[in-house]
Amino acid sequence: MTEPGDPAGSTRRMPTVDPAGGDPHTPGPAMPSAHDPVPTLEQGGGRAGRFWSARRVPAALLALVLLGAAGLLLYDIAAVRAGHPAMQWRRSLADGLAERHLDDVAVLVGAGIAAAVGLWLLLLALTPGLRDLLPMRRDRAGVRAGLDRTAAALVLRDRAVEVPGVQSVRVRMGRKKAKVRALSHFRELDDVRNDVDAVLTTAVRELGLAKPPGLSVQVHRPAKKG
């Protein structure tokens, strides 16, 4: 549009107004392209496996033991090469291994201990650990989340206490099953059990766990005093 006093042919451009209420002179946020995929919760972010423990304490202890044993053995070998006699423990060990048979009790006990330690280390290497951490659903790639079992049990307990007729609740949260024991001081036990089961079924689904645990609900009357 033209106004009086403007040069001929000049126009006054009205500022662009942001519908969201932003600064009219500041360009608004870039709109997503029609070719960009819209993120949805149905897009899987990968397999939600269990979290692996770093196991720093067993690894550090094993490294210290191996380092000490290797250092002591290398020192003794270097001392023998330099013309010094071998340490008493190595002479005693060599003499004992030469004199004892394979069916000797000490040899069998030592072999059993070594085998047990080896199996324990293999078990630590092949299992994830962190049993108290429940993996949650992976709705986005590159994002992993976990929920502590104690926190999950507290959530279920708080939801169950809200059911009318429930006096107290005790929850034992496992990786595959949640065992709930409730005490009801009024209402029919079957009605309370059905309500607790319905409420906790919804609560377990809302936790967002990758593998929702099963529910085992038991409702009893409080013990009579005296």
Side-chain angles (χ1 to χ4, degrees):
M1 59 180 294
T2 60
E3 294 184 359
D6 287 346
S10 64
T11 60
R12 180 180 296 274
R13 303 184 63 179
M14 300 299 292
T16 303
V17 180
D18 186 3
D23 188 357
H25 300 286
T26 304
M31 300 298 293
S33 172
H35 301 286
D36 295 338
V38 179
T40 60
L41 292 179
E42 285 75 14
Q43 292 179 355
R47 180 176 177 271
R50 288 176 57 188
F51 291 86
W52 281 77
S53 173
R55 294 189 173 94
R56 295 181 178 87
V57 175
L61 292 177
L62 180 61
L64 289 176
V65 170
L66 293 179
L67 181 62
L72 188 61
L73 182 60
L74 290 176
Y75 174 80
D76 191 37
I77 293 176
V80 172
R81 293 289 185 180
H84 298 281
M87 291 184 178
Q88 180 62 34
W89 67 269
R90 196 154 72 96
R91 294 199 303 268
S92 300
L93 180 61
D95 295 340
L97 293 177
E99 295 174 358
R100 295 180 183 274
H101 299 285
L102 293 178
D103 57 352
D104 189 81
V105 176
V107 176
L108 294 178
V109 170
I113 294 175
V117 172
L119 290 177
W120 177 62
L121 293 175
L122 286 176
L123 182 64
L124 291 180
L126 298 177
T127 55
L130 296 180
R131 299 177 61 88
D132 291 337
L133 196 60
L134 301 175
M136 303 181 70
R137 283 196 308 268
R138 298 190 63 183
D139 297 330
R140 295 183 181 275
V143 178
R144 294 196 63 191
L147 181 63
D148 187 78
R149 285 199 294 177
T150 303
L154 290 176
V155 172
L156 297 185
R157 187 198 65 180
D158 293 343
R159 295 292 294 273
V161 170
E162 298 175 355
V163 176
V166 174
Q167 182 179 11
S168 62
V169 180
R170 185 174 59 184
V171 180
R172 293 183 58 186
M173 190 73 179
R175 292 191 300 113
K176 297 182 179 180
K177 179 174 289 188
K179 297 181 180 180
V180 181
R181 180 181 176 88
L183 296 180
S184 175
H185 56 295
F186 70 92
R187 294 183 67 197
E188 293 294 332
L189 294 182
D190 291 339
D191 296 339
V192 176
R193 184 182 300 107
N194 293 334
D195 291 346
V196 171
D197 187 77
V199 168
L200 293 187
T201 300
T202 304
V204 168
R205 185 171 62 252
E206 292 176 350
L207 290 177
L209 299 177
K211 295 181 179 179
L215 279 175
S216 175
V217 180
Q218 296 180 1
V219 181
H220 303 281
R221 293 294 186 194
K224 295 182 179 180
K225 298 181 179 180

